[in-house]
Amino acid sequence: QVQLVESGGGLVQAGGSLRLSCAASGSIFRLNAMGWYRQAPGKQRYLVATITSSGSTNYADSVKGRFTISRDNAKNTVYLQMGSLKPEDTAVYYCYAPIYTDQRGWMNYWGKGTLVTVSS
């Protein structure tokens, strides 16, 4: 069984910082890109940032210059360093990764999410 487990969410004041982590575990044969999505109350889930296994990154315009995605391939872990946080960053943040296992081939996996609340 493959699992993605996020950690690091919480309550922070506007202008503050948080670091999210997501560790993938289980019978992973191949793990390429990893990413973070977020979903605010009453809104759709959308992409925040992605990173390939070689370290190429992509960001939503709304977080460029404030958030940094990184990963540790040896630990199958992806991070999201969030800075200059704004109340509109308040959302549940989900980790995402397409993963290949011998049992199921390629499948998209999601974490259960971690709540980030930014107070004004």
Side-chain angles (χ1 to χ4, degrees), residues 8-20 38 63 65-68 80-90 93 116-120:
L11 175 63
V12 64
Q13 287 189 333
S17 300
L18 277 177
R19 189 192 195 208
L20 306 182
R38 69 185 182 187
V63 305
R66 299 188 299 122
F67 291 9
T68 301
L80 187 67
Q81 180 67 48
M82 305 184 294
S84 301
L85 283 162
K86 306 174 181 180
E88 50 264 42
D89 294 318
T90 295
Y93 285 70
V116 172
T117 304
V118 184
S119 62
S120 57

Side-chain angles (χ1 to χ4, degrees), residues 99-116:
I99 295 173
Y100 186 92
T101 64
D102 285 342
Q103 295 84 2
R104 297 187 173 187
W106 284 107
M107 285 189 63
N108 296 326
Y109 291 87
W110 292 88
K112 293 183 179 180
T114 184
L115 178 62
V116 172

